Amino acid sequence: MIAQAASDSINVAQNVGFGIIAALMIFAALSVVTTRNVVHAALWLVLVLAGVAAQYILAAAEFVAASQVLVYIGAVMVLFLFGIMLTRAQIGHEKGLNNPTWALGIPVAIVLLGLLAWVIIDAFEDDVLPDRGPTPTVALSDQFLSIYLIPFLALSFVLLAAAIGAIVLARKDR
Amino acid sequence: MLAVNFLLLGAVLFCIGVYGVIARRNAVLVLMSIELILNAVNLNLIAFALIKGTVDGQVFALYVVAIAAAEVGVGLAMVLMIYRNRRSIALDELSEMKG
Amino acid sequence: MMLAADAAQLSSGWFLENAWLIALIPAIGFGLIIAFGKKMPMKGSEIGLLSMAASTVLASGAAVQWIQRTDSADKGGEEAVGLIQAFGRSVPTVSEGGEVEPFIEPVVSTWVWWQNSGLEFGIGSSVDGLAILLLWLVAFISLLVQVFSLDYVRGDRRYTHFFAALTLFSAGMLVMVMAENMVQLILGWEIMGLCSFMLIGHWWEEYPNARAALKAFFTVRVGDVGLLVGTAIIFFGANQWAVDNLDSNGFNIAAIQAWALSGEGSHILLLMGAIALFIACIGKSGQFPLHTWLPDAMAGPTPVSSLLHSSTMVVAGVFLVARIYPVFWQGFNIDNGGLSFIAVIGGITIVIAALLAFVQDDIKKVLAYSTVSQLGYMMLGLGTGAWLPAVFHIFTHAFFKCCLFLCAGSISHSASHHSFDMKKDMGGLRKKMPFTFAAWIVSTLALAGIFPFAGFWSKDEIIDNVGNNGYDFLLIVGFGGAALTAMYMTRATYLTFFGEPRGAAAGLHDHDDFDDTHAEEHEMELLTVGAPEGPTAEEAAADAPRSLSAATNTDHHDDHHDDHHDDHHDDHHAEPHESGPLLLIPILVLAFLATISGFANATPLGEEWESIKKYVEPRPVEVPIEDYLAQGAGESLQLVMPTATGDALTADDGAKVCGFETPAAGTVCFFPAVTHAVPKLSKILAATATVVIAFAVAIAFNVAYYGRRNKHLVGLTERSRTLRGGYLFLKNKYYLDALYENVIVRWVAHPIAKAAYWMNQKIIDATVDGVGKSTRRTGQWVYDNIDQKVVDGAVNGSGFVASETGHGLQPVQSGKVSQYGALLFGAAAVGAIVLVIVNVS
């Protein structure tokens, strides 16, 4: 790490920013899965997603960050709020948001976390993320339209199918 | 910035999402938890892209974003349909698949 | 006279370079029929006919140009030898004991279809001798079958769709045959599978037809898994080598061939790939464990059976083996004379299918099992290194088997009221339908392999080569199969064309079936009775004076066939008569070809008769890589000369390199040096084979003729009441669940019926009769035990195991999503922990 520090010195401001955002995200994520109010859960989720977008910017992925804001915060969250309203959840506290067996989730999550943490720390011990400049969007689009063209086309089919499927499922007159 | 920090943040979000999927009863909340999981994966992809110095990870992250949008659309349509038929979106009441 | 500078050029031509049109035209034709067919004056059939005619013309042109190309290479080769020698390269000349065989470069024209991650997939045509042979064959047979269909399916509910599917099928086969890479091959292969499904289920309103279509589709799909897996295995094996050496990729068929023979691929990989790919061939070509779909596929209209399930589609599997033969050659160690998986499966199939053909009463099922058996011959040939005879047998078999099926169609159309039951609705037709009878006899002789008809030259050549390559047991299997073939065909011929007219053939209308389904139902009833006696009793009764026969038939079938009367068909089916010209012309053309096509490669007559060998078999020579690559970019006009190592001799004499040793550095082989049986030996063997077959015919004829006249047989039904009771009992129980039915048939009714039958046979006791009947019993036994018990048992068994496991795990299936989620993630976590611990320690 000391050897690397010469080339990739740790940017203090970046680290501090990361820490604050990460703490906020974890708190918000915990709130999403524990709050007793569905609408609040959605709003906490907005915070998590915004935090993720901010982390992308820290990791020099501007285009992905912009997409994250547009798609998730712009579109997906609106869908969620509509979903909540159309299913007439109570705006306010609600009982029975959790399963009777909700406690089962705690050990599973903790075991998984321990495992992941162990593997990650084992593999990346002291590696420092290189300090790269922002990724040019051209580089991304080149990739999309050359070697990842087929998956890209396949994806457009998936989106079309999903749109049609959602309409078929949700329409009333059947 | 240490790579471990970034990846651990992803791991924590992932596990919170897993907890949410298991613990929540309300279908919309389960979908939200799935979004948490997907975002955790995306964080990892971006981190790996940064470590490798290629944009492939970002490409995949964008794919995940698009797929997630499709998934939420279909998922919420299903929830709406379930609600319309049963006046409830509590997942533990949906046990027709019981063997 | 060629100029010296041109001497080293292979001739090419417009037809060869634009061979892709052969497949494209039917594909466009399909689109046109679907879009505009119903509005056309002939309901779209004219588009299908025109497109197939165009393909046939193009394929003929390509074939002529390919022959010119080969000739130019052989001529130019000799001159080029002189030319190269003049430049100081030592090339073995004819005087040195070697004959230079130039490599004939396939004519390739491809376009990039799509690309991903730097991997390009081409689509287009790669034409060599094998491709030309099949292109012409498929286009020509499709044309004839479409002509036949004009009349045969006239007035059908889905006339337009029928022609559309038929045309698309031809396009699929042509795409597959001309494939340059495995992806295109799979594309064509799957198009055929789809069309097969559509056409078998053409009359899907009848439940058995829909079921047969599903069965065919799923059975072939089981094999297709092998195709995908095999292609993937070969790709991962060959890709790096192909990129490094041939500037190609692991899907390219030429690259796969070269890689397999380069000696650089791992043998395990080749073996796994070969096994997986052969499983696909088992499914498609109806080989032993997966052959059950083919007879059921006869539920489709007869032209479909003729085109898809006898002469073209089912040879797709054989074609695949022939096309990437080096993979199988190396994978199964055919070079060392190893007993290959292919040969074993082929041998088993020959015998099993031939025996099954004895117990069928549906004329199309006899032919279907015969097809399976003949495909077994092709596989046997390929599995023992007899590449050329196997490919030649594809060629001849297409003519005579297609002809036989069309004859069956002609009979059912004009004589037997759409029934295919030989015992109920046929007999004595030889005077009523002289042309059909003549064509049938010619094709039967060709199938049996009687000199000088087509099958003699191809099937006996396979048998001869099998023996020549040292497979003594398989040689006997081959002879046995030939004898069985002659016997079951004699039986079918006798039942159809000789004896007293029965049922519909006698002009009776008591079970006028609209389509094939009912024939199948009769079939099923008879098989359900299971004991060989049921049909025999029936047969005996039918042989009695005609009034008795009518009475017997009526009281059996009126009860459940009344509702199938289709009155508007009765008007033109009053009496059995010869079919019209639209049906007869294709039949007669095919019969003519069944007579003469054998001379295309009449090995025993000497080398000048071996045109298939000369023009179709790839030359096993080492090709310098730089010469091969120099002809890229679609030019392929350069003659590739074999290297100057002295190994480029004919396969039969001199050193064999390709397929036996690693080719010299800087060269590649595309085809192994397969051996060919010495013609002298084959004359003796062919004569023997003819004698064996003639003997078999005699026995079968005696059994059929005398056995059926035997007065003891006539009263059989009266004397075996047990059997009669069992028959009716089973007939009534037939619609119960399959398991119940199978248990009863196998464990209760069969032994009783068999014992009774055996007793009766003892009383009758004629030596010749015994031979025939025991064959028949063996066939029944094979059908009941191998087919029904082992194959079906495996299927049922796997279902049973799955169901039991399911019950054990039932409590886990709470139906609660959250618990599923917990289980999923928990299991993933546990699995990951195990992996991590294993990796760390």
Side-chain angles (χ1 to χ4, degrees):
Chain A
M1 180 192 158
I2 294 161
Q4 278 182 338
S7 55
D8 295 324
S9 63
I10 289 178
N11 185 331
V12 179
Q14 195 189 22
N15 256 351
V16 170
F18 172 84
I20 293 171
I21 297 168
L24 206 62
M25 280 166 68
I26 291 170
F27 176 73
L30 283 173
S31 306
V32 171
V33 295
T34 51
T35 180
R36 296 204 159 275
N37 183 325
V38 188
V39 181
H40 287 183
L43 296 176
W44 283 121
L45 185 62
V46 173
L47 203 55
V48 179
L49 297 176
V52 172
Q55 300 290 18
Y56 289 165
I57 292 174
L58 281 180
E62 275 83 357
F63 184 73
V64 186
S67 310
Q68 171 87 5
V69 172
L70 283 174
V71 175
Y72 270 113
I73 303 175
V76 171
M77 284 320 301
V78 172
L79 267 183
F80 269 123
L81 289 173
F82 266 109
I84 293 166
M85 275 188 273
L86 288 173
T87 53
R88 295 191 202 152
Q90 295 159 7
I91 312 286
H93 285 262
E94 195 176 347
K95 292 238 163 75
L97 279 180
N98 280 0
N99 279 317
T101 54
W102 62 273
L104 189 61
I106 295 175
V108 172
I110 286 177
V111 168
L112 262 179
L113 181 62
L115 173 75
L116 287 173
W118 177 27
V119 174
I120 289 167
I121 291 168
D122 190 51
F124 293 94
E125 232 167 323
D126 288 336
D127 290 0
V128 175
L129 284 177
D131 213 359
R132 297 183 207 278
T135 317
T137 309
V138 176
L140 268 178
S141 64
D142 279 351
Q143 296 282 303
F144 266 116
L145 296 179
S146 62
I147 65 168
Y148 292 116
L149 182 61
I150 294 292
F152 188 63
L153 295 177
L155 187 64
S156 58
F157 272 106
V158 169
L159 284 175
L160 178 67
I164 295 172
I167 291 167
V168 170
L169 283 175
R171 85 196 157 120
K172 264 201 170 121
D173 51 335
R174 49 179 62 244
Chain B
M1 189 162 57
L2 286 171
V4 174
N5 294 349
F6 224 99
L7 297 174
L8 278 181
L9 174 63
V12 171
L13 281 187
F14 183 85
C15 294
I16 293 172
V18 168
Y19 167 77
V21 169
I22 296 171
R24 289 304 205 176
R25 189 160 164 262
N26 182 310
V28 177
L29 286 172
V30 171
L31 279 177
M32 288 186 191
S33 306
I34 291 173
E35 292 307 310
L36 279 180
I37 293 177
L38 290 173
N39 274 280
V41 172
N42 263 1
L43 269 177
N44 275 17
L45 284 173
I46 296 291
F48 289 138
L50 197 58
I51 294 169
K52 298 273 285 184
T54 62
V55 293
D56 292 357
Q58 297 192 21
V59 170
F60 278 101
L62 284 169
Y63 281 133
V64 173
V65 170
I67 295 286
E71 173 253 319
V72 170
V74 175
L76 282 174
M78 285 165 66
V79 170
L80 273 187
M81 202 178 69
I82 292 167
Y83 179 77
R84 212 178 286 142
N85 288 338
R86 310 178 64 106
R87 294 285 127 190
S88 157
I89 49 170
L91 286 178
D92 59 352
E93 290 169 15
L94 296 172
S95 55
E96 275 84 6
M97 294 282 281
K98 181 167 165 54
Chain C
M1 190 64 208
M2 278 194 270
L3 294 173
D6 295 332
Q9 298 234 313
L10 281 171
S11 80
S12 183
W14 187 86
F15 286 110
L16 284 178
E17 274 156 26
N18 294 289
W20 46 272
L21 280 172
I22 300 172
L24 187 64
I25 290 174
I28 293 173
F30 163 73
L32 289 177
I33 297 175
I34 287 286
F36 308 111
K38 292 211 162 158
K39 299 185 186 100
M40 306 288 283
M42 284 165 71
K43 307 261 183 221
S45 57
E46 66 269 61
I47 303 177
L49 275 174
L50 279 177
S51 60
M52 287 329 298
S55 288
T56 310
V57 169
L58 288 174
S60 307
V64 169
Q65 287 185 346
W66 176 261
I67 289 171
Q68 286 168 355
R69 184 179 169 86
T70 312
D71 286 340
S72 78
D74 287 346
K75 266 189 223 129
E78 281 161 30
E79 291 174 33
V81 170
L83 198 68
I84 293 168
Q85 274 178 332
F87 285 101
R89 283 175 68 181
S90 71
V91 171
T93 57
V94 179
S95 61
E96 284 171 33
E99 190 183 321
V100 175
E101 282 200 323
F103 177 69
I104 320 276
E105 169 78 7
V107 184
V108 182
S109 30
T110 54
W111 296 268
V112 174
W113 177 16
W114 45 277
Q115 56 175 19
N116 189 32
S117 295
L119 200 62
E120 284 187 351
F121 297 91
I123 189 160
S125 60
S126 162
V127 179
D128 64 354
L130 178 63
I132 282 284
L133 184 80
L134 275 143
L135 283 178
W136 184 80
L137 189 69
V138 171
F140 182 68
I141 299 257
S142 302
L143 176 64
L144 290 182
V145 167
Q146 290 211 355
V147 171
F148 183 88
S149 310
L150 277 181
D151 220 10
Y152 189 83
V153 291
R154 193 180 295 287
D156 190 79
R157 281 160 277 191
R158 284 180 290 275
Y159 189 73
T160 307
H161 289 140
F162 179 79
F163 275 90
L166 219 51
T167 312
L168 180 63
F169 162 77
S170 302
M173 181 83 185
L174 293 167
V175 162
M176 193 202 85
V177 166
M178 64 172 60
E180 176 252 6
N181 58 52
M182 292 301 287
V183 180
Q184 186 181 342
L185 192 143
I186 292 172
L187 175 77
W189 181 284
E190 299 296 356
I191 291 176
M192 278 192 285
L194 176 68
C195 290
S196 178
F197 171 73
M198 294 196 301
L199 288 166
I200 296 171
H202 183 69
W203 292 314
W204 48 261
E205 285 89 349
E206 308 282 346
Y207 181 65
N209 293 359
R211 223 179 50 168
L214 278 177
K215 181 171 177 183
F217 192 65
F218 286 134
T219 314
V220 175
R221 291 303 305 176
V222 169
D224 287 357
V225 175
L227 181 64
L228 296 179
V229 171
T231 306
I233 291 174
I234 298 294
F235 171 77
F236 287 117
N239 192 41
Q240 196 56 46
W241 187 89
V243 169
D244 292 346
N245 289 287
L246 289 181
D247 191 22
S248 180
N249 62 50
F251 285 119
N252 186 295
I253 288 173
I256 290 172
Q257 291 168 339
W259 168 73
L261 291 175
S262 71
E264 288 171 39
S266 116
H267 182 257
I268 292 289
L269 214 57
L270 277 165
L271 180 64
M272 303 305 282
I275 289 175
L277 287 172
F278 188 62
I279 287 171
C281 302
I282 287 176
K284 201 71 159 182
S285 288
Q287 296 296 296
F288 163 54
L290 296 180
H291 66 277
T292 47
W293 70 270
L294 196 50
D296 282 24
M298 296 303 130
T302 310
V304 172
S305 315
S306 174
L307 177 63
L308 273 67
H309 305 122
S310 68
S311 47
T312 54
M313 180 179 110
V314 288
V315 304
V318 182
F319 171 79
L320 177 64
V321 178
R323 171 52 87 202
I324 47 173
Y325 197 50
V327 172
F328 297 96
W329 176 269
Q330 294 287 354
F332 290 135
N333 282 332
I334 298 175
D335 51 341
N336 301 332
L339 186 62
S340 70
F341 186 38
I342 303 182
V344 171
I345 294 286
I348 293 174
T349 309
I350 291 173
V351 176
I352 295 240
L355 288 175
L356 289 175
F358 278 95
V359 290
Q360 306 302 321
D361 295 327
D362 182 327
I363 187 166
K364 280 171 77 181
K365 291 204 172 179
V366 174
L367 295 176
Y369 278 116
S370 159
T371 300
V372 172
S373 176
Q374 297 303 309
L375 291 166
Y377 271 107
M378 299 175 201
M379 286 300 185
L380 175 67
L382 290 171
T384 52
W387 189 91
L388 178 68
V391 170
F392 185 42
H393 199 52
I394 296 178
F395 182 70
T396 55
H397 175 254
F399 296 128
F400 55 71
K401 187 53 63 61
C402 190
C403 185
L404 287 170
F405 266 106
L406 294 188
C407 285
S410 164
I411 293 164
S412 88
H413 187 79
S414 308
S416 67
H417 297 220
H418 301 277
S419 158
F420 287 98
D421 196 308
M422 296 189 294
K423 287 191 173 152
K424 290 205 180 62
D425 291 320
M426 294 183 190
L429 289 172
R430 71 183 184 283
K431 296 211 181 84
K432 303 257 173 59
M433 313 182 78
F435 292 109
T436 306
F437 174 61
W440 174 279
I441 289 295
V442 165
S443 306
T444 302
L445 293 178
L447 173 59
I450 306 283
F451 180 85
F453 297 98
F456 171 78
W457 306 106
S458 55
K459 189 162 61 175
D460 289 4
E461 197 60 24
I462 292 179
I463 296 172
D464 187 13
N465 273 284
V466 168
N468 187 47
N469 291 349
Y471 297 92
D472 290 335
F473 181 70
L474 290 173
L475 177 73
I476 296 167
V477 169
F479 272 127
L484 289 174
T485 307
M487 287 161 82
Y488 68 68
M489 283 315 292
T490 310
R491 171 179 174 270
T493 308
Y494 180 84
L495 285 175
T496 310
F497 289 103
F498 293 90
E500 292 282 322
R502 297 175 294 275
L508 299 170
H509 290 202
D510 50 287
H511 49 286
D512 183 12
D513 297 325
F514 176 61
D515 58 33
D516 308 5
T517 324
H518 309 298
E520 180 140 338
E521 274 173 29
H522 297 295
E523 177 66 19
M524 284 182 168
E525 285 153 18
L526 291 170
L527 284 178
T528 314
V529 176
E533 201 151 0
T536 314
E538 201 64 34
E539 173 185 325
D543 247 13
R546 207 202 277 174
S547 57
L548 170 63
S549 155
T552 323
N553 279 336
T554 314
D555 64 41
H556 281 205
H557 295 288
D558 258 0
D559 49 347
H560 59 286
H561 280 296
D562 269 347
D563 49 339
H564 294 309
H565 273 284
D566 197 334
D567 286 333
H568 81 271
H569 260 76
D570 278 359
D571 50 6
H572 58 94
H573 278 309
E575 269 297 307
H577 54 89
E578 184 56 279
S579 305
L582 277 178
L583 299 191
L584 273 185
I585 289 170
I587 290 177
L588 294 178
V589 170
L590 285 167
F592 175 68
L593 284 167
T595 314
I596 62 154
S597 62
F599 291 97
N601 198 46
T603 313
L605 297 185
E607 204 163 315
E608 64 270 26
W609 288 87
E610 294 185 305
S611 21
I612 300 275
K613 182 183 175 189
K614 183 175 179 194
Y615 296 113
V616 171
E617 191 177 85
R619 310 281 167 92
V621 291
E622 293 172 286
V623 180
I625 290 173
E626 60 266 32
D627 287 2
Y628 177 76
L629 291 180
Q631 3 199 316
E635 298 212 346
S636 59
L637 290 172
Q638 195 76 29
L639 168 67
V640 175
M641 284 306 299
T643 48
T645 52
D647 293 325
L649 309 176
T650 46
D652 292 332
D653 43 27
K656 293 186 233 176
V657 175
C658 285
F660 291 91
E661 292 162 30
T662 313
T667 64
V668 286
C669 290
F670 291 98
F671 193 74
V674 294
T675 51
H676 300 99
V678 184
K680 202 194 272 178
L681 180 64
S682 64
K683 269 180 197 156
I684 300 163
L685 284 174
T688 320
T690 310
V691 172
V692 167
I693 289 165
F695 184 60
V697 170
I699 292 178
F701 188 75
N702 280 334
V703 173
Y705 195 70
Y706 295 113
R708 291 166 54 79
R709 282 235 175 138
N710 197 317
K711 294 281 172 269
H712 292 289
L713 274 168
V714 173
L716 198 63
T717 34
E718 268 76 49
R719 274 184 279 125
S720 60
R721 291 231 167 259
T722 329
L723 186 72
R724 180 52 103 217
Y727 173 77
L728 291 171
F729 172 70
L730 282 162
K731 197 177 80 179
N732 293 333
K733 294 295 174 190
Y734 182 70
Y735 294 103
L736 288 179
D737 61 322
L739 186 68
Y740 179 57
E741 159 206 312
N742 286 347
V743 168
I744 296 294
V745 171
R746 269 186 227 134
W747 303 113
V748 183
H750 262 198
I752 297 171
K754 264 186 187 161
Y757 180 62
W758 187 78
M759 287 293 283
N760 276 320
Q761 286 304 101
K762 272 288 173 188
I763 298 161
I764 296 162
D765 198 19
T767 321
V768 189
D769 199 66
V771 174
K773 295 295 172 188
S774 62
T775 320
R776 194 195 158 82
R777 263 209 306 272
T778 321
Q780 188 70 44
W781 183 87
V782 168
Y783 185 82
D784 295 333
N785 288 280
I786 307 292
D787 223 46
Q788 300 291 306
K789 219 178 275 176
V790 178
V791 177
D792 281 7
V795 174
N796 291 342
S798 59
F800 179 75
V801 170
S803 138
E804 284 303 300
T805 322
H807 281 301
L809 290 173
Q810 207 174 23
V812 184
Q813 302 295 322
S814 60
K816 300 230 168 72
V817 183
S818 59
Q819 287 180 22
Y820 291 171
L823 277 172
L824 174 71
F825 286 110
V830 172
I833 288 170
V834 170
L835 273 182
V836 166
I837 289 169
V838 168
N839 273 347
V840 166
S841 60

